[in-house]
Amino acid sequence: MRFNRLAAIAALLVSTASHAQTPAVPGPTPDPVLAKVDGEEIHLSDVSEALGGLPPEYRAMPPQMLYPKILDQLISQKALVILAKKQGLDRDPQVVKQMDQAREQALQAAAIRKAVAPLVTEEAVKAIYDKDIAGKPAEQEAHAAHILVANEADATKLIADLKKGGDFVALAKANSTDPGAAQGGDLGWFKKGDMLPEFSAAAFALKPGEITDKPVKTQYGWHVVKLEGFRPVAVPAFAEAREEIRQKMIQEDVQKAFADARSKVTVEQFNPDGSVPKPDAAAAAPAAPVAKP
């Protein structure tokens, strides 16, 4: 597959080159040399790899414009590397450290790819969708508004004012400390898991149009909650849920890969000054004898 792509790029380069000289070697070369800089070769595969790293808007450029620019850039980069080596910069301690770090990062990425890629298959993603999403009933969303104040007494007074016919939006704009006060405390639509448990429990226990009888306390303060209504949320199609499932699988499998790697090595940790930590007193103490039955 890779050589097919390289061959296509080669054909484009040959077709756009003016008065290109016919190569002496018969037949197409899978990965031809496009340039030499002090004898160091730049291959078609190097151009292809550089192309893959470009943003989509650049890759959309006409090939006859894009490939010569990439090749010219690769020649400049190669010349700079050769100059740096001639100046001995490849032996500079800081540069050596940076190259070692880059090498370690590349190895880490390769190890993660090897461990994770076989697990995150289309079949595995679909299986999770079928198990955790497709088979579940439609969720409910609530549309609610709230007034957030600093203490219970203020919230209780607001509830009393509302029961006397006070306008919720006006009271929210005048009293709420929430950033949404300017919109009358409107929170829009949300699922149970989107809000703090105590807030969700209060909101989902109401009927449309109702206001909480008592203030609801959360870590942010005291809330007066009004429910506007409910609506069912359709189960997302596989195409909609696929990427979210895939990303979650990758995160979980990466953590497993780290844990697996740590389990196969010996780890020694030291204090910030490099000294050996003293054994924890509780851990060092002999276990109390257990009485026999």
Side-chain angles (χ1 to χ4, degrees), residues 151-170:
N151 58 71
E152 186 177 12
D154 289 345
T156 301
K157 182 179 182 306
L158 285 165
I159 292 173
D161 291 342
L162 288 164
K163 286 182 177 179
K164 293 175 186 175
D167 182 73
F168 191 95
V169 172

Side-chain angles (χ1 to χ4, degrees), residues 8-273:
I9 296 172
L12 281 168
L13 286 172
V14 170
S15 66
T16 55
S18 59
H19 307 292
Q21 185 179 357
T22 304
V25 180
T29 305
D31 191 13
V33 175
L34 302 186
K36 291 184 180 180
V37 184
D38 267 5
E40 294 193 20
E41 297 177 345
I42 296 175
H43 289 257
L44 179 60
S45 58
D46 298 319
V47 174
S48 177
E49 186 176 344
L51 171 65
L54 291 177
E57 59 268 25
Y58 287 99
R59 292 202 299 270
M61 288 175 61
Q64 62 269 27
M65 291 176 58
L66 185 58
Y67 295 120
K69 289 180 181 293
I70 294 176
L71 180 58
D72 188 65
Q73 184 65 34
L74 290 177
I75 290 170
S76 297
Q77 291 172 355
K78 181 71 74 175
L80 197 59
V81 170
I82 291 170
L83 176 62
K85 289 179 179 178
K86 288 178 178 178
Q87 294 174 342
L89 294 178
D90 56 330
R91 297 187 297 277
D92 180 278
Q94 186 61 32
V95 175
V96 171
K97 183 179 179 181
Q98 290 172 348
M99 289 193 296
D100 288 343
Q101 289 172 344
R103 181 175 178 274
E104 288 203 359
Q105 289 171 0
L107 286 170
Q108 290 170 27
I112 290 294
R113 282 195 301 272
K114 184 177 180 180
V116 173
L119 303 176
V120 187
T121 62
E122 195 71 6
E123 293 76 14
V125 174
K126 183 66 165 59
I128 289 178
Y129 171 80
D130 291 340
K131 175 177 174 289
D132 296 342
I133 297 177
K136 288 190 174 181
E139 243 186 306
Q140 236 186 2
E141 279 187 328
H143 179 198
H146 76 139
I147 304 172
L148 175 64
V149 292
N151 58 71
E152 186 177 12
D154 289 345
T156 301
K157 182 179 182 306
L158 285 165
I159 292 173
D161 291 342
L162 288 164
K163 286 182 177 179
K164 293 175 186 175
D167 182 73
F168 191 95
V169 172
L171 288 171
K173 288 181 177 180
N175 298 276
S176 184
T177 60
D178 185 77
Q183 287 77 46
D186 191 358
L187 293 168
W189 294 95
F190 56 88
K191 302 182 187 71
K192 271 190 178 181
D194 294 339
M195 297 292 184
L196 294 170
E198 52 268 44
F199 188 95
S200 281
F204 278 81
L206 296 171
K207 294 178 181 177
E210 283 187 341
I211 295 167
T212 45
D213 286 330
K214 296 179 181 179
V216 178
K217 188 178 188 306
T218 70
Q219 65 192 59
Y220 297 106
W222 296 84
H223 307 257
V224 179
V225 184
K226 179 185 179 183
L227 179 70
E228 303 291 351
F230 290 116
R231 71 179 181 187
V233 182
V235 175
F238 176 66
E240 298 171 325
R242 176 184 175 278
E243 190 56 29
E244 185 177 346
I245 297 170
R246 186 174 171 276
Q247 289 303 322
K248 186 177 179 183
M249 288 178 68
I250 289 171
Q251 291 171 9
E252 291 174 353
D253 289 333
V254 165
Q255 293 306 314
K256 289 176 185 176
F258 277 121
D260 180 62
R262 288 180 67 113
S263 71
K264 295 176 179 176
V265 296
T266 301
V267 178
E268 296 177 84
Q269 289 185 264
F270 303 93
N271 293 323
D273 62 358

